[in-house]
Amino acid sequence: MQTIPTYWEEHLQNKIQTIHKLQVQAGKESVSFALVTDIHWDQNERHSAALLEKIMFDCSIPYFFNAGDLVSGHGLCPQEELYEEITAYREDFKAIESKCLITLGNHDTAYSTFDAPAYYVENAPMQRFYEYYFRSATLYPNRVFSEDGTYYYADDAAHKVRFIVLNSHDIPAEEKTAEGHAKYNRMRHYGFLQKQIDWVASVALNVPSDDWFVVVCSHAGKIVLVEENDPNEYNYSLLAKVFHAFDKRTAFAGEETHEDPARNAKIAVDFTGKGGTFVGWFSGHSHADKIKKIDGVTFVETTTDASYVAWNKTPGIRGTTNEHAFDIFTIDKSARKVYATRIGKGEDRSFEF
């Protein structure tokens, strides 16, 4: 186990006691998972791996989500910088890699070798990026992957919980424009294409029985995209309504059309007599803590783990427990309630489902 700074010890013990109490409260009907997001490697104090290792061992937590944007997010940099940072992250988190469910962030493939102001205009090709970012996830059991390997699920069979990892930067093609920019830039595209929606409906939501619970994670959630009225958001509502139908064990048919027909999607599902319980859709991206129900689904956003990124409105204090921020979520299946225990800067939260 990596060394944990002494100034974290009291905070960590208090939080571990809180998580234990929540788990004991529901007994076997509880399950916990962690979520760390927007690590932004160059601006991160890099104690999160050691903190997570301690918490997950002490509290017997099966999985943690890395909700994306693990790279620094430099607007102008060579492609190699992305791979160097991902490799350094893997080395730092190697002790708990088997517990990691990683999802793609909008910054993770974005770079630019052009002059300013052409920031983030290039995308690392997925054929190469997969080698550094996703291949390690295939080493571990209880996971089922999509054809392209960028979205998948993992099961906690003992507690009947399925953790679904989505690719919220699902693009139609890796074409380039005449000037060499990415035509469909993952940095600016937030959505899901037909193939991924079909996979979710027919594969990921095909749970073993209707007493299973489902947790979803993507890098970008819908709260911030609605607040910013982002024009490059597509098919979030369509997918959320599929999850809502799953939860209500009912049928749903819907369609979205867009100016670019490559983003069009439609779906018809019928969970009558099957389905399960949908817990929530968890994400990062916004660098803020938010909880809101949209389209019948509870969206939960967690702030950045990097305290010093330029766009963080409330920077942390280096050398204190404010230098990191991530959540341990504990589901009480009996009470239909989720408790978020904040490690580091920020407050504990909760919501019902």
Side-chain angles (χ1 to χ4, degrees):
M1 184 177 291
Q2 297 182 49
T3 301
I4 296 172
T6 55
Y7 54 84
W8 274 97
E9 290 175 0
E10 182 179 358
H11 177 88
L12 203 56
Q13 285 305 315
N14 289 338
K15 294 296 185 176
I16 286 171
Q17 288 177 12
T18 296
I19 297 162
H20 276 312
K21 287 178 182 177
L22 292 171
Q23 290 176 328
V24 169
Q25 179 177 290
K28 193 174 184 293
E29 291 303 296
S30 72
V31 63
S32 297
F33 64 94
L35 185 148
V36 60
T37 187
D38 299 86
I39 289 173
H40 292 299
W41 188 249
D42 210 28
Q43 291 83 36
N44 196 286
E45 284 301 286
R46 305 178 191 177
H47 300 305
S48 295
L51 297 170
L52 275 166
E53 184 181 359
K54 170 69 173 172
I55 296 165
M56 295 181 77
F57 177 82
D58 283 11
C59 300
S60 302
I61 297 173
Y63 295 114
F64 76 95
F65 288 115
N66 176 340
D69 275 9
L70 76 84
V71 303
S72 298
H74 297 144
L76 299 175
C77 70
Q79 185 182 155
E80 291 302 321
E81 180 178 301
L82 306 179
Y83 305 132
E84 289 167 2
E85 292 194 333
I86 295 165
T87 300
Y89 154 84
R90 280 198 66 203
E91 179 66 26
D92 202 47
F93 278 74
K94 65 182 178 182
I96 52 174
E97 182 180 82
S98 63
K99 295 176 176 287
C100 180
L101 305 177
I102 194 167
T103 186
L104 183 66
N106 63 312
H107 276 283
D108 290 319
T109 64
Y111 71 101
S112 177
T113 56
F114 293 84
D115 293 330
Y119 301 109
Y120 307 115
V121 296
E122 296 176 86
N123 279 176
M126 189 53 67
Q127 183 171 355
R128 187 179 182 200
F129 187 81
Y130 173 88
E131 183 70 16
Y132 291 87
Y133 202 86
F134 288 111
R135 186 179 293 279
S136 60
T138 68
L139 297 176
Y140 306 104
N142 303 320
R143 304 183 188 194
V144 174
F145 290 84
S146 65
E147 186 177 337
D148 71 356
T150 66
Y151 44 97
Y152 55 100
Y153 71 76
D155 284 343
D156 177 355
H159 299 100
K160 297 184 179 181
V161 179
R162 176 162 293 177
F163 298 94
I164 301 175
V165 176
L166 300 177
N167 175 4
S168 57
H169 310 283
D170 197 1
I171 58 171
E174 300 214 45
E175 298 175 36
K176 293 184 178 181
T177 64
E179 60 267 52
H181 298 180
K183 179 180 178 180
Y184 295 102
N185 193 337
R186 292 188 187 89
M187 178 69 186
R188 310 295 183 193
H189 282 68
Y190 307 97
F192 311 93
L193 299 179
Q194 184 70 59
K195 199 168 188 176
Q196 184 170 184
I197 294 168
D198 289 341
W199 180 89
V200 169
S202 63
V203 178
L205 292 181
N206 185 20
V207 292
S209 57
D210 65 3
D211 56 350
W212 274 62
F213 288 64
V214 165
V215 173
V216 167
C217 178
S218 65
H219 173 64
K222 192 170 182 183
I223 302 174
V224 65
L225 298 177
V226 169
E227 290 175 348
E228 297 179 356
N229 194 27
D230 197 297
N232 287 319
E233 176 270 316
Y234 46 98
N235 302 327
Y236 268 82
S237 287
L238 196 63
L239 195 49
K241 289 172 183 176
V242 170
F243 292 135
H244 183 64
F246 170 85
D247 186 62
K248 298 303 179 184
R249 296 164 173 79
T250 188
F252 166 72
E255 182 176 3
E256 280 194 23
T257 57
H258 303 274
E259 184 177 343
D260 181 353
R263 298 179 181 179
N264 292 350
K266 60 183 178 180
I267 192 72
V269 293
D270 189 352
F271 295 105
T272 305
K274 43 186 178 179
T277 300
F278 188 82
V279 176
W281 186 331
F282 299 80
S283 62
H285 184 60
S286 65
H287 289 204
D289 295 321
K290 303 171 188 281
I291 300 176
K292 189 172 184 179
K293 183 166 279 192
I294 307 172
D295 296 321
V297 165
T298 300
F299 285 86
V300 182
E301 296 177 3
T302 293
T303 193
T304 172
D305 184 54
S307 290
Y308 317 113
V309 287
W311 52 93
N312 190 343
K313 295 178 182 178
T314 56
I317 303 171
R318 185 174 280 111
T320 76
T321 57
N322 276 344
E323 66 192 358
H324 285 292
F326 58 87
D327 284 319
I328 310 298
F329 293 99
T330 301
I331 305 168
D332 185 331
K333 293 162 65 178
S334 297
R336 296 293 196 270
K337 192 166 185 177
V338 176
Y339 300 89
T341 303
R342 171 55 52 86
I343 310 302
K345 181 182 64 178
E347 304 298 325
D348 293 350
R349 301 176 286 168
S350 65
F351 68 92
E352 296 178 352
F353 63 92

